[in-house]
Amino acid sequence: MILKHLPPFIEKKIFISAPEEILKREVFVSLLLIILSFQSLSQEKEKNFNTVEIEENLPGSVSETTIEKQDIEKIAPYDLGHLLQRLSGVTIRSYGGLGGMKTLSMRGLGGQHTNLIINGYSQLNPQSGQNDFGLIQVENIEQVKVSVGLTEERMLPASGLISGNVVSLTTFEQEFSPKKISLRSSSVLGSFGQKESYFGIKKGGKSNFISATGKYRAVEGDYPFRIKSGSEEIQDVRKNNEFSEYFVNLGGGIKWGGDSLSRLRHLIKIYGHLDGADKQLPGAVILYTSGADENLETQNFQSGANYSLIGGSFRLRVFSSVAKNYLRYFDPTYNNAAGLIDNRYETLNSSSGVNSVFERKKLTLLAASELSYNSLNSNRGDLGIPRRLSSASIIKLKWKTEYLHLTGALANQLLSDQNRSLDHSNTFNRFSPQVEFVTSDRFSEKFKLNLWYKESMRPPSFNELFYSQIGNKYLEPEENRQSNLGISYLKKWRKSELNIKVNGYYNLVDNKILALPTKNLFIWSVSNVGKVEIYGTDLEILLSREISKNSTIEFNGNFTFQRVLDISDRNAPTFRHQIAYTPSATAQGLLSFYLHNFAWHTSAFYTGERYSLNQNIPANSLERFVLFDSSLEVRFSFAENQVLKVQGGVKNIFDSSYSFIKYFVMPGRNYFLKVSYAIN
């Protein structure tokens, strides 16, 4: 018996929940994990923090997190999805590990509520409504900012300022550098045929730069696995799991004007990106079947340019981008009249926008607007030829008092959908408020209080509207209301630093778009039948101590407890049940020790029990799991600003058998060796 993997065009969302005794056990196990990770530091009466693993923008929101390049290197993630799964409040749905599709949920909201922005350009995918974070490389990333709800970044596209959550990346290709030459290269060899090679070069200067990066990686993917099926345990080797992919990035920029804040400065940047992948899709594993024949081929192109004008109290950004995405899904053994599936899709996305910021003493005014056009063409006649014209606009006012910073904003989203082939036309127009209160440094230099409320919507994707049999062209957008109360504490003394953040949140989603069975289990339909209540809390602890002149120890840990409940129908058997694949408890801890040119990193990652179907019964339960990774690195410095680094490590040290999605097995113990060289 084979359970085919979910098609790449949509994730079926089903509601479930957990008994109270299980929730208590999840909380206890997660807290115990953090305490055990902390135990090695507890001998010191004074804790220090020279640098932090994920540092906080103290003037900004308590619910905003920044990850720097050096922090990414400690974890040595496969991709952006593998990195983000360790953040509090983030739930990753991974379909098979390295190379597998990865989508994310932040604080219980579906992936369509998170806007991925790279170098100031939105990576909108109107076909599925969300991004595959397994396709985003990390070697060229300089910084990742993850904003839950509100964001302090001002020059993001208006669609990012409006969306429920934002993941914003800045890459090597788009950064000015005073160095004449900056160079980066790395090679990785790992288990299961993993091979990666990356190279980047930048010619910089006082007023201009030009850069290029490229990467190739390939994996055979034939890893052994164990999986329970009823009372039996299957042991086999993953099949049809090979893939290869490439990435090419180009960048350039020029700036001119005065150096002082009182004179106007001008800046122009251009950006280009191309990637392609050829992936075998192994599918789900049931009984004694571990393989499948499906294949996914993708190619994505994006280019953009932006102009910035910076004055003493004024800043302006004007930008434009165009993107083309190609996807081919091929199944040569599908049981239909043709004996196969060969579906091809091509989306075209273009956008232009403007951001302006005016500051005067205690007042800051931001206004932003963005206009986008999206289209989808396919060899499937039943999809029609969907087109979407949309605009996003926001005006935000921030007022700083002696003890409190107050922010108010009003956003507008206007969408017009057309699909003449299916006789479809619809328009959505929504106004959404945002409010935030943040204490100032004058109120307290150690404590920061943050209270905010935000409304947003996400439109239905083209697949949800038009895909064969399941599509529903009468769908309304999902309406989302988010609220958060957070507090952070920062303490520095001697050679130590401690940062603690606690957030409590409550979200409510109306018109939830769900794919549910209609006539039978094999015929589904998409409808606005869902209503979801979300509440939870995040705890983050960042701690560092400089032990001696040449040695430092650091710890980063977080814990999340959340309830994501179906409240659609009080009479339904799943009323107030946890949404599928959403754990009630997650936790992670990362411990790093530095001595001279050596560094040792070890991490623990815990995911609590989840359910795969719409009832909380043992048969639908997925086991909780804990993963341990460890790596050792050594750095060699040559001449000026030249660094050679060798890093080796092991992931899933104890060879745990686990899965994020039922029957999509993940790799057991695996190893990697990475050699990198940089001229900075």
Side-chain angles (χ1 to χ4, degrees):
M1 178 181 179
I2 301 176
L3 178 64
K4 288 283 187 179
H5 70 282
L6 295 181
F9 53 80
I10 191 168
E11 288 185 9
K12 298 178 176 66
K13 297 172 176 63
I14 308 170
F15 295 127
I16 50 184
S17 75
E20 292 302 322
E21 59 269 23
I22 293 179
L23 297 181
K24 292 177 182 178
R25 187 164 64 248
E26 305 280 35
V27 175
F28 174 79
V29 172
S30 302
L31 291 175
L32 182 61
L33 178 63
I34 290 182
I35 292 170
L36 290 175
S37 301
F38 232 124
Q39 193 171 13
S40 60
L41 301 177
S42 62
Q43 303 299 320
E44 299 292 340
K45 293 183 178 179
E46 295 178 345
K47 313 292 183 186
N48 194 5
F49 221 40
N50 244 358
T51 58
V52 296
E53 165 62 16
I54 299 175
E55 66 180 0
E56 176 70 19
N57 281 344
L58 286 179
S61 171
V62 176
S63 53
E64 189 169 75
T65 301
T66 301
I67 311 173
E68 303 292 350
K69 180 175 180 58
Q70 61 269 25
D71 305 321
I72 299 174
E73 293 174 346
K74 297 175 186 178
I75 300 174
Y78 298 134
D79 45 51
L80 183 61
H82 190 203
L83 172 68
L84 295 180
Q85 75 182 30
R86 294 179 175 271
L87 297 185
S88 60
V90 173
T91 301
I92 287 287
R93 297 184 178 184
S94 177
Y95 294 82
L98 181 60
M101 183 174 70
K102 296 180 179 68
T103 61
L104 64 78
S105 167
M106 297 180 66
R107 291 191 177 177
L109 300 179
Q112 298 90 340
H113 289 276
T114 296
N115 197 327
L116 174 63
I117 296 173
I118 301 180
N119 295 318
Y121 304 106
S122 177
Q123 308 300 301
L124 177 69
N125 185 342
Q127 182 185 358
S128 64
Q130 57 187 340
N131 295 99
D132 180 0
F133 287 82
L135 284 176
I136 310 300
Q137 62 170 328
V138 296
E139 282 79 8
N140 67 331
I141 294 178
E142 294 292 309
Q143 186 184 78
V144 181
K145 282 192 176 182
V146 181
S147 303
V148 179
L150 302 183
T151 177
E152 288 298 307
E153 293 195 75
R154 301 172 178 176
M155 291 299 156
L156 294 180
S159 59
L161 299 173
I162 292 173
S163 63
N165 309 298
V166 176
V167 176
S168 176
L169 312 182
T170 303
T171 68
F172 173 78
E173 305 85 26
Q174 287 291 282
E175 292 284 283
F176 278 94
S177 173
K179 305 293 182 181
K180 290 184 178 180
I181 294 292
S182 298
L183 185 146
R184 290 179 182 172
S185 65
S186 66
S187 295
V188 178
L189 292 176
S191 301
F192 320 125
Q194 179 187 1
K195 298 179 290 290
E196 300 185 19
S197 183
Y198 166 79
F199 181 80
I201 187 169
K202 181 189 297 181
K203 183 183 181 301
K206 183 179 180 181
S207 59
N208 58 76
F209 77 92
I210 185 170
S211 62
T213 64
K215 179 183 176 181
Y216 174 82
R217 72 173 180 174
V219 175
E220 295 173 6
D222 53 349
Y223 57 82
F225 66 86
R226 307 184 313 274
I227 186 174
K228 289 183 179 180
S229 181
S231 60
E232 301 183 59
E233 182 178 80
I234 303 171
Q235 296 189 30
D236 207 334
V237 175
R238 206 69 164 116
K239 299 178 179 68
N240 199 60
N241 198 30
E242 185 177 349
F243 82 91
S244 62
E245 56 189 3
Y246 65 87
F247 306 86
V248 178
N249 301 281
L250 300 174
I254 184 172
K255 56 184 177 181
W256 70 94
D259 295 329
S260 67
L261 293 177
S262 60
R263 298 182 60 186
L264 292 178
R265 290 168 290 165
H266 307 267
L267 184 151
I268 293 177
K269 286 184 180 181
I270 58 174
Y271 170 71
H273 170 82
L274 176 68
D275 71 68
D278 189 2
K279 297 183 179 183
Q280 296 177 339
L281 301 177
V285 175
I286 260 192
L287 297 180
Y288 296 98
T289 303
S290 62
D293 300 311
E294 295 93 337
N295 189 81
L296 186 69
E297 179 186 344
T298 62
Q299 188 174 78
N300 305 300
F301 166 79
Q302 185 180 43
S303 64
N306 83 88
Y307 163 76
S308 296
L309 173 66
I310 304 171
S313 59
F314 179 74
R315 183 170 180 177
L316 175 74
R317 180 191 181 221
V318 180
F319 66 91
S320 184
S321 70
V322 60
K324 186 177 181 181
N325 309 105
Y326 169 80
L327 183 150
R328 181 193 182 199
Y329 175 71
F330 181 64
D331 184 351
T333 59
Y334 192 77
N335 187 20
N336 61 1
L340 58 83
I341 292 179
D342 188 0
N343 293 336
R344 307 182 186 200
Y345 310 89
E346 186 176 272
T347 59
L348 178 65
N349 312 306
S350 60
S351 66
S352 298
V354 58
N355 293 56
S356 60
V357 176
F358 177 76
E359 294 182 278
R360 185 174 179 84
K361 295 182 179 179
K362 299 180 179 181
L363 198 65
T364 301
L365 176 65
L366 179 150
S369 186
E370 180 183 12
L371 183 66
S372 301
Y373 174 76
N374 316 115
S375 65
L376 173 63
N377 293 289
S378 172
N379 65 340
R380 295 182 57 116
D382 53 3
L383 267 176
I385 308 175
R387 303 288 185 262
R388 173 174 290 169
L389 182 65
S390 61
S391 69
S393 302
I394 185 172
I395 184 166
K396 180 185 290 188
L397 188 64
K398 185 173 185 177
W399 181 41
K400 299 179 181 179
T401 69
E402 185 175 5
Y403 298 107
L404 196 64
H405 296 173
L406 311 175
T407 302
L410 183 63
N412 174 257
Q413 292 171 274
L414 178 63
L415 297 96
S416 177
D417 284 343
Q418 296 283 340
N419 194 334
R420 295 179 181 177
S421 299
L422 300 183
D423 191 27
H424 170 76
S425 177
N426 206 350
T427 300
F428 309 117
N429 188 18
R430 299 289 190 277
F431 287 90
S432 307
Q434 302 176 13
V435 181
E436 182 179 32
F437 304 87
V438 184
T439 57
S440 68
D441 291 339
R442 185 67 182 273
F443 176 83
S444 174
E445 294 183 354
K446 296 180 180 179
F447 288 94
K448 176 183 289 293
L449 297 175
N450 182 213
L451 175 65
W452 56 261
Y453 172 81
K454 179 178 183 177
E455 294 183 6
S456 62
M457 77 158 186
R458 73 93 172 169
S461 68
F462 286 159
N463 284 329
E464 291 169 331
L465 287 167
F466 308 118
Y467 199 84
S468 175
Q469 296 187 43
I470 71 169
N472 180 356
K473 61 184 181 181
Y474 301 105
L475 289 175
E476 292 287 324
E478 284 187 5
E479 308 283 352
N480 173 37
R481 286 171 279 175
Q482 298 169 266
S483 56
N484 184 92
L485 174 61
I487 181 171
S488 66
Y489 172 75
L490 178 63
K491 172 67 175 178
K492 298 180 181 180
W493 68 101
R494 296 183 184 179
K495 300 177 181 180
S496 302
E497 185 173 308
L498 172 66
N499 191 1
I500 300 174
K501 295 194 300 179
V502 181
N503 282 284
Y505 52 89
Y506 181 83
N507 304 333
L508 193 62
V509 180
D510 290 315
N511 286 335
K512 180 71 174 177
I513 298 174
L514 297 174
L516 299 173
T518 52
K519 297 180 180 179
N520 55 57
L521 289 176
F522 303 99
I523 299 180
W524 293 60
S525 180
V526 179
S527 304
N528 288 110
V529 298
K531 189 170 184 178
V532 181
E533 180 185 52
I534 306 163
Y535 61 88
T537 183
D538 296 335
L539 168 65
E540 299 181 34
I541 301 173
L542 309 172
L543 176 64
S544 178
R545 177 175 175 80
E546 183 179 330
I547 300 173
S548 65
K549 182 179 179 180
N550 297 311
S551 62
T552 304
I553 191 167
E554 300 177 355
F555 173 77
N556 165 27
N558 65 58
F559 166 72
T560 296
F561 174 79
Q562 63 179 355
R563 297 286 277 147
V564 185
L565 307 176
D566 170 24
I567 58 172
S568 306
D569 182 358
R570 184 175 294 274
N571 297 317
T574 57
F575 182 69
R576 300 199 66 81
H577 284 197
Q578 188 89 344
I579 284 183
Y581 295 113
T582 303
S584 296
T586 58
Q588 77 92 23
L590 174 64
L591 183 65
S592 299
F593 177 72
Y594 301 90
L595 178 63
H596 298 287
N597 294 326
F598 293 88
W600 170 70
H601 311 290
T602 187
S603 66
F605 174 71
Y606 170 77
T607 292
E609 191 173 28
R610 295 91 63 223
Y611 291 85
S612 61
L613 295 178
N614 59 343
Q615 287 184 299
N616 298 154
I617 58 176
N620 298 333
S621 174
L622 275 73
E623 292 184 357
R624 64 182 66 86
F625 61 85
V626 182
L627 303 177
F628 292 91
D629 301 341
S630 187
S631 67
L632 180 67
E633 65 180 66
V634 58
R635 294 173 180 261
F636 304 94
S637 298
F638 305 96
E640 183 181 0
N641 299 323
Q642 298 185 44
V643 177
L644 174 68
K645 187 179 75 170
V646 179
Q647 183 181 16
V650 55
K651 298 182 183 295
N652 193 1
I653 295 173
F654 298 106
D655 198 26
S656 298
S657 177
Y658 71 102
S659 62
F660 289 90
I661 304 297
K662 194 169 187 178
Y663 301 126
F664 281 80
V665 294
M666 303 292 287
R669 184 186 301 113
N670 59 96
Y671 306 87
F672 74 93
L673 177 66
K674 180 177 182 179
V675 179
S676 59
Y677 175 75
I679 301 177
N680 296 313

Short mmCIF file of all heavy atoms in Angstrom, two decimals, residues 377-395:
data_model
loop_
_atom_site.label_atom_id
_atom_site.label_comp_id
_atom_site.label_asym_id
_atom_site.label_seq_id
_atom_site.Cartn_x
_atom_site.Cartn_y
_atom_site.Cartn_z
N ASN A 377 0.34 30.67 -16.15
CA ASN A 377 0.05 29.93 -17.36
C ASN A 377 0.41 28.46 -17.12
O ASN A 377 1.41 28.16 -16.47
CB ASN A 377 0.85 30.46 -18.54
CG ASN A 377 0.41 31.86 -18.94
OD1 ASN A 377 -0.66 32.07 -19.46
ND2 ASN A 377 1.27 32.84 -18.66
N SER A 378 -0.40 27.57 -17.64
CA SER A 378 -0.19 26.15 -17.40
C SER A 378 -0.66 25.34 -18.59
O SER A 378 -1.51 25.80 -19.37
CB SER A 378 -0.94 25.71 -16.14
OG SER A 378 -0.90 24.31 -15.97
N ASN A 379 -0.10 24.11 -18.73
CA ASN A 379 -0.61 23.20 -19.76
C ASN A 379 -1.89 22.51 -19.32
O ASN A 379 -2.47 21.72 -20.06
CB ASN A 379 0.46 22.16 -20.13
CG ASN A 379 0.80 21.23 -18.97
OD1 ASN A 379 0.55 21.55 -17.81
ND2 ASN A 379 1.39 20.09 -19.28
N ARG A 380 -2.35 22.81 -18.10
CA ARG A 380 -3.62 22.28 -17.61
C ARG A 380 -4.74 23.25 -18.01
O ARG A 380 -4.80 24.38 -17.54
CB ARG A 380 -3.61 22.15 -16.09
CG ARG A 380 -2.62 21.13 -15.55
CD ARG A 380 -2.74 21.08 -14.05
NE ARG A 380 -4.10 20.76 -13.65
CZ ARG A 380 -4.43 19.65 -13.00
NH1 ARG A 380 -3.52 18.76 -12.69
NH2 ARG A 380 -5.68 19.42 -12.66
N GLY A 381 -5.62 22.80 -18.85
CA GLY A 381 -6.69 23.66 -19.31
C GLY A 381 -7.69 24.01 -18.22
O GLY A 381 -8.37 25.04 -18.28
N ASP A 382 -7.81 23.14 -17.17
CA ASP A 382 -8.82 23.38 -16.15
C ASP A 382 -8.44 24.50 -15.19
O ASP A 382 -9.27 24.93 -14.38
CB ASP A 382 -9.10 22.09 -15.36
CG ASP A 382 -7.83 21.47 -14.80
OD1 ASP A 382 -6.74 22.06 -14.97
OD2 ASP A 382 -7.92 20.39 -14.20
N LEU A 383 -7.20 25.00 -15.25
CA LEU A 383 -6.81 26.13 -14.39
C LEU A 383 -7.19 27.47 -14.99
O LEU A 383 -7.24 28.49 -14.29
CB LEU A 383 -5.30 26.11 -14.16
CG LEU A 383 -4.77 25.38 -12.93
CD1 LEU A 383 -3.26 25.38 -12.93
CD2 LEU A 383 -5.29 26.03 -11.65
N GLY A 384 -7.44 27.48 -16.28
CA GLY A 384 -7.69 28.74 -16.94
C GLY A 384 -6.41 29.56 -17.06
O GLY A 384 -5.29 29.03 -17.05
N ILE A 385 -6.58 30.87 -17.14
CA ILE A 385 -5.43 31.78 -17.24
C ILE A 385 -5.64 32.88 -16.18
O ILE A 385 -6.10 33.98 -16.49
CB ILE A 385 -5.30 32.39 -18.64
CG1 ILE A 385 -5.31 31.29 -19.70
CG2 ILE A 385 -4.01 33.21 -18.75
CD1 ILE A 385 -5.30 31.82 -21.12
N PRO A 386 -5.33 32.59 -14.93
CA PRO A 386 -5.59 33.57 -13.86
C PRO A 386 -4.62 34.75 -13.91
O PRO A 386 -3.44 34.60 -14.21
CB PRO A 386 -5.40 32.76 -12.58
CG PRO A 386 -4.54 31.60 -12.96
CD PRO A 386 -4.83 31.31 -14.40
N ARG A 387 -5.16 35.92 -13.59
CA ARG A 387 -4.40 37.17 -13.52
C ARG A 387 -4.81 37.90 -12.25
O ARG A 387 -5.95 37.86 -11.82
CB ARG A 387 -4.66 38.05 -14.74
CG ARG A 387 -4.36 37.39 -16.09
CD ARG A 387 -2.87 37.27 -16.30
NE ARG A 387 -2.53 36.76 -17.62
CZ ARG A 387 -2.25 35.51 -17.89
NH1 ARG A 387 -2.31 34.59 -16.92
NH2 ARG A 387 -1.92 35.13 -19.12
N ARG A 388 -3.85 38.58 -11.64
CA ARG A 388 -4.15 39.34 -10.42
C ARG A 388 -3.40 40.67 -10.43
O ARG A 388 -2.19 40.72 -10.65
CB ARG A 388 -3.77 38.55 -9.18
CG ARG A 388 -3.89 39.35 -7.87
CD ARG A 388 -3.65 38.47 -6.65
NE ARG A 388 -4.77 37.55 -6.48
CZ ARG A 388 -4.75 36.51 -5.63
NH1 ARG A 388 -3.67 36.27 -4.90
NH2 ARG A 388 -5.81 35.72 -5.53
N LEU A 389 -4.14 41.74 -10.20
CA LEU A 389 -3.56 43.07 -10.01
C LEU A 389 -3.85 43.48 -8.58
O LEU A 389 -5.00 43.45 -8.14
CB LEU A 389 -4.18 44.07 -11.00
CG LEU A 389 -3.62 45.50 -10.94
CD1 LEU A 389 -2.15 45.53 -11.36
CD2 LEU A 389 -4.46 46.43 -11.83
N SER A 390 -2.82 43.84 -7.84
CA SER A 390 -3.02 44.15 -6.42
C SER A 390 -2.19 45.35 -6.01
O SER A 390 -1.14 45.65 -6.61
CB SER A 390 -2.64 42.94 -5.55
OG SER A 390 -1.28 42.60 -5.72
N SER A 391 -2.66 46.02 -4.98
CA SER A 391 -1.91 47.13 -4.40
C SER A 391 -1.92 47.00 -2.88
O SER A 391 -2.87 46.48 -2.29
CB SER A 391 -2.51 48.48 -4.81
OG SER A 391 -3.78 48.67 -4.19
N ALA A 392 -0.83 47.44 -2.28
CA ALA A 392 -0.71 47.47 -0.82
C ALA A 392 -0.18 48.85 -0.43
O ALA A 392 0.80 49.33 -1.01
CB ALA A 392 0.23 46.38 -0.34
N SER A 393 -0.83 49.47 0.53
CA SER A 393 -0.43 50.81 0.98
C SER A 393 -0.53 50.90 2.49
O SER A 393 -1.39 50.25 3.11
CB SER A 393 -1.32 51.89 0.34
OG SER A 393 -1.27 51.82 -1.06
N ILE A 394 0.34 51.69 3.07
CA ILE A 394 0.31 51.86 4.53
C ILE A 394 0.84 53.24 4.88
O ILE A 394 1.75 53.77 4.23
CB ILE A 394 1.16 50.77 5.23
CG1 ILE A 394 1.03 50.89 6.75
CG2 ILE A 394 2.60 50.82 4.79
CD1 ILE A 394 1.68 49.74 7.52
N ILE A 395 0.23 53.83 5.88
CA ILE A 395 0.73 55.08 6.46
C ILE A 395 0.87 54.85 7.96
O ILE A 395 -0.04 54.32 8.61
CB ILE A 395 -0.20 56.27 6.15
CG1 ILE A 395 0.42 57.56 6.69
CG2 ILE A 395 -1.62 56.06 6.66
CD1 ILE A 395 -0.24 58.81 6.15
#
